[in-house]
């Protein structure tokens, strides 16, 4: 059932997204998880405590962050399994809330629209909604690169990874992954406030994103074969050469594949909170002067790669259903 839930959740979310009226009415799983993380942060992360104590409390907080949504998701999964097939539809709708295919494309496309209609000023405003770097430090090319990098990285973190872990562990696995990823976003920073307390969250997020980041890179390479003007050979070569140079053990794989497919040089030094973060270039030697047209080409690659992801889960679902029927048939014959 887990693989089927992942496939149907992808199909539902790609078509419908997460409606604004629903968000306004009840919020979103990420906001609920965020409240839990904020509560634990306030209660356990004290500046007066030693780093060793803050690290231990960070581990304790992470366990709570994972177990609460994970166990709720597991309970719902078991309950809905007993309501099959109606429960499968409900599970797919619930699982779709863990994904962000539709909203990711919309937010990145807004950056391209802003650059084309309002220039740098509107471009900076639009890109500030999807990246954490200092927008005032970005020129037009920097805005375009930031949007493309965000698209590549969030394809992995916001779509492939939750689908992967939903396919492995059902609603419980998907919810636990989303909690881990949200914790990394909120407390997994190398700052005096979170260096010790958020260490466990950051390292655990790196671990659970390992398989999805590699799969995302491969999906972008395959998509480059199907998108006119993209370079599949460049995507493969740059991914193999540069992905491991990224300061993140995961973000480099989709970013490098995207850079190679587009002939761009992504990543490199960036400014966050007034501080410059030195990072390796993904696609070193490629163009740095990215434009809105490059964002739109990246979106074409993303959409095709997302279709490939859907096709992968559809195939896996068909195999699981076939094997289930075969095993059930053999069991009936034996009786």
């Amino acid at each position: 059932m887990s693989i089927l839930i992942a496939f149907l959740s992808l199909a539902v979310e790609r078509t419908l997204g997460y409606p604004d009226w629903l968000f306004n009415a009840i919020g979103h799983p990420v906001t609920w998880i965020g409240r839990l993380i904020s509560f634990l942060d306030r209660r356990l992360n004290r500046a007066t405590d030693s780093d060793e104590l803050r690290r231990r409390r960070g581990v304790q907080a992470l366990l709570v962050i994972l177990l609460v949504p994970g166990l709720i998701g597991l309970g719902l999964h078991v309950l809905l399994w007993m309501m099959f097939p109606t429960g499968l539809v409900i599970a797919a709708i619930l699982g779709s809330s863990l994904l962000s295919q539709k909203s990711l494309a919309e937010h990145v496309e807004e950056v391209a629209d802003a650059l084309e209609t309002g220039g740098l000023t509107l471009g900076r405003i639009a890109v500030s909604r999807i990246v954490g770097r200092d927008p005032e430090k970005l020129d037009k090319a920097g805005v375009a690169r930031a949007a493309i990098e965000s698209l590549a990285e969030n394809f992995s973190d916001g779509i492939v990874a939750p689908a992967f872990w939903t396919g492995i562990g059902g609603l419980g696995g998907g919810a636990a992954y989303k909690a881990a990823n949200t914790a990394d976003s909120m407390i997994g920073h190398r700052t005096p406030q979170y260096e010790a307390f958020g260490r466990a969250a950051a390292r655990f997020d790196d671990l659970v994103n390992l398989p999805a980041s590699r799969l995302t890179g491969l999906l972008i390479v395959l998509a480059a074969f199907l998108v006119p003007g993209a370079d599949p050979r460049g995507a493969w070569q740059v991914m193999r050469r540069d992905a491991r140079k990224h300061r993140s053990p995961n973000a480099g794989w989709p970013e490098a594949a995207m850079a190679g497919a587009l002939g761009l040089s992504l990543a490199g030094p960036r400014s966050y909170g007034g501080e410059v973060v030195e990072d390796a270039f993904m696609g070193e030697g490629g163009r740095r002067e990215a434009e809105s047209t490059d964002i739109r080409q990246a979106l074409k690659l993303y959409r095709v790669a997302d279709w490939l992801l859907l096709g992968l889960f559809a195939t896996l679902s068909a195999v699981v259903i076939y094997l289930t029927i075969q095993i059930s048939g053999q069991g009936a014959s034996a009786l």
Side-chain angles (χ1 to χ4, degrees), residues 68-84:
V68 170
L71 289 175
I72 292 172
L74 176 61
L76 287 170
H77 185 105
V78 173
L79 176 65
L80 293 171
W81 173 249
M82 294 188 293
M83 296 167 57
F84 187 87

Side-chain angles (χ1 to χ4, degrees), residues 16-316:
L16 301 177
Y18 194 83
D20 290 339
W21 65 264
L22 185 58
F23 180 85
N24 293 331
I26 64 171
H28 186 275
V30 170
T31 63
W32 307 334
I33 294 167
R35 292 191 190 103
L36 172 62
I37 296 168
S38 295
F39 171 77
L40 293 169
D41 183 21
R42 291 192 302 270
R43 294 296 299 271
L44 300 178
N45 187 20
R46 301 187 182 97
T48 54
D49 292 333
S50 68
D51 284 351
E52 180 60 32
L53 179 57
R54 292 171 87 177
R55 278 193 289 270
R56 288 203 303 270
R57 286 181 170 166
V59 172
Q60 293 167 0
L62 178 62
L63 289 174
V64 175
I65 292 164
L66 294 174
L67 286 173
V68 170
L71 289 175
I72 292 172
L74 176 61
L76 287 170
H77 185 105
V78 173
L79 176 65
L80 293 171
W81 173 249
M82 294 188 293
M83 296 167 57
F84 187 87
T86 304
L88 180 61
V89 176
I90 299 172
I93 294 171
L94 293 175
S96 71
S97 69
L98 305 174
L99 303 163
S100 58
Q101 299 160 102
K102 195 169 186 291
S103 62
L104 176 59
E106 289 172 349
H107 287 137
V108 173
E109 192 162 27
E110 285 172 3
V111 180
D113 293 340
L115 284 174
E116 291 170 358
T117 60
L120 179 58
T121 301
L122 291 186
R124 285 172 171 170
I125 294 172
V127 83
S128 69
R129 301 187 184 110
I130 59 173
V131 300
R133 67 195 68 177
D134 301 328
E136 68 276 5
K137 302 287 187 182
L138 300 173
D139 57 12
K140 281 189 176 182
V143 169
R145 289 196 306 271
I148 294 168
E149 291 164 15
S150 179
L151 175 65
E153 185 175 357
N154 283 291
F155 179 33
S156 178
D157 292 356
I159 300 164
V160 179
F164 176 87
W165 287 109
T166 299
I168 294 291
L171 292 178
Y177 168 79
K178 204 65 179 178
N181 189 242
T182 305
D184 178 60
S185 298
M186 293 180 65
I187 63 175
H189 308 299
R190 291 186 173 181
T191 62
Q193 183 178 2
Y194 294 117
E195 179 75 36
F197 184 72
R199 182 182 180 186
R203 294 200 171 184
F204 187 78
D205 183 72
D206 286 343
L207 178 64
V208 295
N209 274 299
L210 282 172
S213 62
R214 277 69 176 167
L215 175 58
T216 305
L218 289 173
L219 289 170
I220 293 172
V221 171
L222 293 174
F225 281 97
L226 304 173
V227 175
D231 182 0
R233 182 179 179 185
W236 173 251
Q237 291 179 340
V238 171
M239 184 177 70
R240 291 189 62 195
R241 185 192 70 197
D242 294 344
R244 291 182 177 87
K245 299 176 185 177
H246 201 287
R247 65 190 176 96
S248 163
N250 297 307
W253 294 85
E255 285 187 23
M258 187 68 80
L262 298 174
L264 292 174
S265 177
L266 300 176
R270 287 160 288 180
S271 176
Y272 294 87
E275 295 184 10
V276 176
V277 175
E278 297 293 338
D279 199 0
F281 290 101
M282 300 294 103
E284 188 167 7
R287 288 183 296 115
R288 291 292 283 173
E289 295 303 311
E291 302 174 358
S292 62
T293 53
D294 293 304
I295 299 176
R296 298 195 185 282
Q297 182 75 342
L299 282 165
K300 291 178 184 177
L301 283 163
Y302 157 72
R303 289 186 173 107
V304 172
D306 194 41
W307 276 117
L308 293 174
L309 179 68
L310 268 165
L312 173 62
F313 275 93
T315 301
L316 291 173

